[in-house]
Amino acid sequence: GEDVEQSLFLSVREGDSSVINCTYTDSSSTYLYWYKQEPGAGLQLLTYIFSNMDMKQDQRLTVLLNKKDKHLSLRIADTQTGDSAIYFCAAAPWNRDDKIIFGKGTRLHILP
Amino acid sequence: DGGITQSPKYLFRKEGQNVTLSCEQNLNHDAMYWYRQDPGQGLRLIYYSQIVNDFQKGDIAEGYSVSREKKESFPLTVTSAQKNPTAFYLCASRTGTGGAGNTEAFFGQGTRLTVV
């Protein structure tokens, strides 16, 4: 069945770039999302990319999509302590009963 | 302000009791979802509803029940049959995929349920 995979942990020094990777299995996915979850809170949409795009940039965030390899990445430039959170990758397969498939989340830890 | 509201934020339940978690949205979204989050497990889909008076089981529906009598509301009942109910529960809503354009999910702030 459909699946979204991402690594569980990432540690990055403050000021460096963070790159969080994700792979998905359903080639019919039309939209791919990155959500951020801070402790004890719900998920907040950070950005999304449509499947006919290769790249999307939004301030410090850059999303890269390799549709052939079904690989998605989120780059956070100049990582700050406020970026410490869990980041979820999600895929919306076309016409799959309105489901969105989430990865398990990557916990980003910022080193001083 | 449009949004999705979950209540209560914290809930304590004695073993053997049923409890109901509230989820309300004023975004005019057709689809609503309930997820359970455990540490290291990510989000697991419990139930979802694409339209009023209809809902489908997700991956871990056993021990849970839902209703969708109004478009705005999708309450989740955690029954005594759920063996390990302590978790963080997230509700989400989304425009149905029948239309064109992006249809991201909007999330509530979650309810933390603890069995005591």
Side-chain angles (χ1 to χ4, degrees):
Chain A
E2 65 276 10
D3 198 12
V4 174
E5 299 274 345
Q6 51 184 130
S7 54
L8 295 182
F9 299 100
L10 178 66
S11 290
V12 172
R13 292 208 177 277
E14 189 175 358
D16 288 351
S17 292
S18 305
V19 179
I20 303 171
N21 294 300
C22 169
T23 57
Y24 59 98
T25 57
D26 194 325
S27 58
S28 74
S29 293
T30 52
Y31 286 95
L32 296 133
Y33 305 94
W34 283 104
Y35 283 86
K36 177 182 180 182
Q37 184 183 34
E38 296 183 352
L43 274 66
Q44 174 191 2
L45 180 72
L46 279 180
T47 187
Y48 67 91
I49 190 166
F50 187 51
S51 57
N52 69 351
M53 298 168 65
D54 298 324
M55 185 182 86
K56 181 178 180 181
Q57 187 153 2
D58 184 2
Q59 299 182 331
R60 291 192 298 123
L61 305 177
T62 303
V63 178
L64 295 178
L65 174 61
N66 182 327
K67 197 173 176 182
K68 174 176 169 288
D69 294 339
K70 300 192 198 72
H71 181 267
L72 182 73
S73 68
L74 173 70
R75 178 176 179 269
I76 306 172
D78 187 24
T79 307
Q80 305 297 309
T81 54
D83 296 324
S84 180
I86 301 176
Y87 291 82
F88 289 92
C89 173
W94 177 251
N95 278 340
R96 287 303 306 268
D97 301 325
D98 285 324
K99 282 188 185 179
I100 296 182
I101 312 302
F102 286 86
K104 289 189 183 330
T106 299
R107 184 178 294 276
L108 178 61
H109 178 61
I110 313 303
L111 301 167
Chain B
D1 270 344
I4 180 165
T5 303
Q6 290 185 242
S7 61
K9 189 168 174 65
Y10 299 96
L11 187 56
F12 296 89
R13 188 195 93 172
K14 291 183 180 178
E15 284 194 26
Q17 283 183 337
N18 292 354
V19 287
T20 298
L21 283 60
S22 169
C23 179
E24 304 274 335
Q25 54 99 359
N26 60 4
L27 299 165
N28 200 33
H29 285 168
D30 294 307
M32 295 188 74
Y33 309 80
W34 275 106
Y35 292 91
R36 172 181 170 140
Q37 185 177 23
D38 296 282
Q41 296 271 358
L43 301 178
R44 292 186 289 169
L45 183 64
I46 304 172
Y47 268 99
Y48 65 106
S49 167
Q50 296 169 270
I51 197 168
V52 175
N53 291 323
D54 189 37
F55 46 83
Q56 286 79 40
K57 291 182 180 179
D59 302 316
I60 55 163
E62 186 176 346
Y64 299 97
S65 66
V66 293
S67 63
R68 186 86 187 277
E69 296 175 3
K70 298 186 298 182
K71 190 175 185 178
E72 302 80 24
S73 179
F74 191 40
L76 173 74
T77 297
V78 184
T79 75
S80 56
Q82 170 50 236
K83 298 303 178 194
N84 185 20
T86 295
F88 190 54
Y89 290 87
L90 286 161
C91 179
S93 71
R94 182 180 180 217
T95 302
T97 54
N102 178 32
T103 57
E104 76 263 24
F106 290 80
F107 282 81
Q109 289 299 299
T111 293
R112 184 165 299 280
L113 173 64
T114 304
V115 173
V116 295

